[in-house]
Amino acid sequence: MYILTIIGNGLIVMIVRTSHKLHTPMHFFLSNLSFLEIWYTTTVPKMLKTFVEVETKICVYCCLIQAFFHFFMGSTEFFILAVMSFDHYLAICKLLLYATIMTSRVCLQLSIGAWFGGFMAILFQIILVFQLPTYDSNIINYFCGDIGLILKIAFTDTCLIELLGFLAAITAILSSLMFTMVSYIYIISTIVRIPSATGCQKVFSTCASQLTVVLILYRAVMFMYLRPSVHSSFSLCKVVSVLNTVFTPLLNSFIYTIRNKKVKAAFWNAVSKQMGFLKPGCFSLVEKNPSC
């Protein structure tokens, strides 16, 4: 699954970068998400290593760096999905103004803002964690570095760090969720007013893939972090966290590839040109161009 995740998301980044037909805001943000998913799974190699070792060890600073990148990529993903929902909102609800608003400069600014927001959401907390003087224990019952579990074994007061983590979670998770939900409320209200059933289906299929990803991601996150602790099982939360780290990035690449006709066309066009089956630019135009 890890290898398929790297290959699938890597192909999306490569196809969007090399195909001029995919140089659109939607596919630009999609390539950002795929690039993020590749790095989000960086905890998997260490987890795979634990399967073949009797005793698993990791240095303290390596553990903290792993925790930083895990939460940095996770927070950034929320912001990128919020930006993608805003892009879909403009494309569907403000179609006449879309080209004017969503310029290349605006796309770049939104992308940088999403990555910067994810970075700042975890930066101050991880700086304070690095300065913790000592630990009660050296055992973490988890598959990767987790700040919450690191704080539990810290031999000092961690109230400030926990408060920063709570504020970061509110900012990254709830704010992006509210923004995404509001965008899709406007999108759905616009779709139901389309008189043509074919047009309605076509518009809905455009944003259905991202809506699927949003539902899967937020459902897992809310299960892990928003359930009352008295009703939650730590072992079950670990299973959900592993699935969210390993399975969701793999699923995202398949969802966006299978449901996106332009990405599929660009992929098979590139494969065909490499293998010499079709002339360049002839894919999906066979019926209109007999020479293909």
Side-chain angles (χ1 to χ4, degrees), residues 109-123:
Q109 290 174 343
L110 290 173
S111 176
I112 294 175
W115 285 90
F116 182 75
F119 179 77
M120 294 302 297
I122 190 63
L123 176 64

Side-chain angles (χ1 to χ4, degrees), residues 191-204:
I191 291 176
V192 297
R193 292 199 299 266
I194 298 177
S196 170
T198 304
C200 181
Q201 182 180 3
K202 184 178 180 180
V203 173
F204 183 78

Side-chain angles (χ1 to χ4, degrees), residues 1 14 38-39 50 94 101 107 109 112 154 171 203 217 255 267 272:
M1 291 177 67
M14 183 187 67
I38 293 174
W39 290 100
T50 64
K94 305 290 182 182
I101 298 175
C107 290
Q109 290 174 343
I112 294 175
T171 303
V203 173
L217 176 63
I255 289 176
F267 172 74
S272 300

Side-chain angles (χ1 to χ4, degrees), residues 78-116:
F78 293 122
F79 292 125
I80 289 181
L81 290 175
V83 169
M84 293 177 72
S85 67
F86 177 67
D87 174 65
H88 284 140
Y89 162 75
L90 291 178
I92 295 173
C93 303
K94 305 290 182 182
L95 181 59
L96 298 179
L97 300 175
Y98 180 75
T100 304
I101 298 175
M102 197 59 72
T103 60
S104 299
R105 182 178 179 180
V106 172
C107 290
L108 183 60
Q109 290 174 343
L110 290 173
S111 176
I112 294 175
W115 285 90
F116 182 75

